[in-house]
Amino acid sequence: MEISTLATYHCLAFVWYFFVAYSITHIKTEERPSEVFLYGGQWKYLTVLNLVLQAVFYGVSFLADVLRLIKKLRCAKPIISSRDLLFSVLAFPVSTFVCISFWTLYTYNRELVYPKSLDGVIPLWLNHAMHTAVLPFAVLEILALPHRYPAKKKGLILLGFVAFLYISWVLWIYSVTGEWVYPLFALFSPPGLAAFFAGSLAIIISFYSFGEFLNRMIWGQCKFSSLLLCI
């Protein structure tokens, strides 16, 4: 894909995610279902945090494209490295996890993750923008250009650290409000919840590995040591 086309795509994706994140964080608060919806705002939900993550990623990607367009390759290299790290370790696996886990649980019993009371708070289009569109965007990014993945150990440590931070945030909210961010968590005993978190981490790690596999399968012919020449 031409650099100018990539720049246009990344700019539009950034604007889209910025708009969606803005929309979800400015929902009217008069009829919020419970206290847990208020404490910490929407920033307790992985879905919303993912929107911010995607906006940051596409913003960095657009910056890298612009620098390459104006031939500032020396400045572009660290930005491209940051872009690839964001995508490989967080943007792709988290988007895939959000989409697949949400719709799997929603199909099984929506009250566990997205109570019907939220239908009157969050518009249908916004629900799909947060939980459906994120996966096609992530796949399209892999198809659009190659990304350099970090060493497997480094990537998994970073991913595990971010997962630990989010789980700690969820547990802190429960300790303050007495309510779980997601109703699903109330069904588990403490050992069961620990097992659920461990299983979720294993799934998101598998998505990380799947993204790496797709990237290598599609762009394996590229010399990643000469990435600037390959894209």
Side-chain angles (χ1 to χ4, degrees), residues 139 166 182 221 223 225 230:
V139 173
Y166 180 68
Y182 298 102
Q221 73 276 13
K223 298 293 185 180
S225 60
C230 190

Side-chain angles (χ1 to χ4, degrees), residues 24-65:
I24 190 63
T25 56
H26 286 76
I27 287 177
K28 294 181 180 180
T29 59
E30 289 84 355
E31 298 181 358
R32 296 281 172 88
S34 70
E35 180 187 356
V36 73
F37 210 109
L38 299 176
Y39 186 84
Q42 288 91 337
W43 306 110
K44 65 181 66 62
Y45 298 107
L46 183 61
T47 296
V48 177
L49 295 176
N50 180 55
L51 294 176
V52 176
L53 168 65
Q54 300 304 317
V56 170
F57 165 70
Y58 283 106
V60 171
S61 296
F62 177 61
L63 176 59
D65 297 335

Side-chain angles (χ1 to χ4, degrees), residues 18-216:
F18 184 87
F19 169 70
V20 174
Y22 178 86
S23 298
I24 190 63
T25 56
H26 286 76
I27 287 177
K28 294 181 180 180
T29 59
E30 289 84 355
E31 298 181 358
R32 296 281 172 88
S34 70
E35 180 187 356
V36 73
F37 210 109
L38 299 176
Y39 186 84
Q42 288 91 337
W43 306 110
K44 65 181 66 62
Y45 298 107
L46 183 61
T47 296
V48 177
L49 295 176
N50 180 55
L51 294 176
V52 176
L53 168 65
Q54 300 304 317
V56 170
F57 165 70
Y58 283 106
V60 171
S61 296
F62 177 61
L63 176 59
D65 297 335
V66 170
L67 290 174
R68 291 170 60 212
L69 279 171
I70 62 177
K71 307 301 182 182
K72 298 290 186 180
L73 298 185
R74 184 183 298 272
C75 297
K77 286 182 180 179
I79 303 300
I80 289 175
S81 295
S82 299
R83 177 201 70 188
D84 289 346
L85 188 65
L86 272 173
F87 180 77
S88 60
V89 176
L90 295 176
F92 181 83
V94 173
S95 288
T96 306
F97 180 81
V98 165
C99 180
I100 293 179
S101 63
F102 175 83
W103 288 112
T104 299
L105 292 169
Y106 185 98
T107 301
Y108 174 71
N109 182 355
R110 65 168 298 176
E111 295 298 319
L112 297 178
V113 290
Y114 194 83
K116 192 172 179 60
S117 58
L118 290 179
D119 287 346
V121 178
I122 301 175
L124 181 62
W125 74 266
L126 189 52
N127 181 20
H128 282 290
M130 296 187 298
H131 297 116
T132 307
V134 292
L135 182 55
F137 267 105
V139 173
L140 181 57
E141 179 66 21
I142 281 189
L143 296 174
L145 75 163
H147 295 274
R148 179 183 296 179
Y149 271 66
K152 180 63 70 85
K153 182 178 180 179
K154 177 183 177 181
L156 294 182
I157 288 175
L158 289 173
L159 180 58
F161 179 69
V162 173
F164 171 78
L165 290 179
Y166 180 68
I167 291 171
S168 298
W169 175 226
V170 168
L171 294 176
W172 171 257
I173 291 171
Y174 177 75
S175 71
V176 172
T177 66
E179 295 185 61
W180 289 107
V181 172
Y182 298 102
L184 169 69
F185 296 161
L187 301 179
F188 295 103
S189 64
L193 189 61
F196 176 82
F197 286 147
S200 297
L201 179 58
I203 291 172
I204 202 169
I205 287 174
S206 72
F207 292 149
Y208 169 90
S209 298
F210 181 63
E212 185 177 26
F213 167 76
L214 283 180
N215 188 70
R216 184 180 296 112

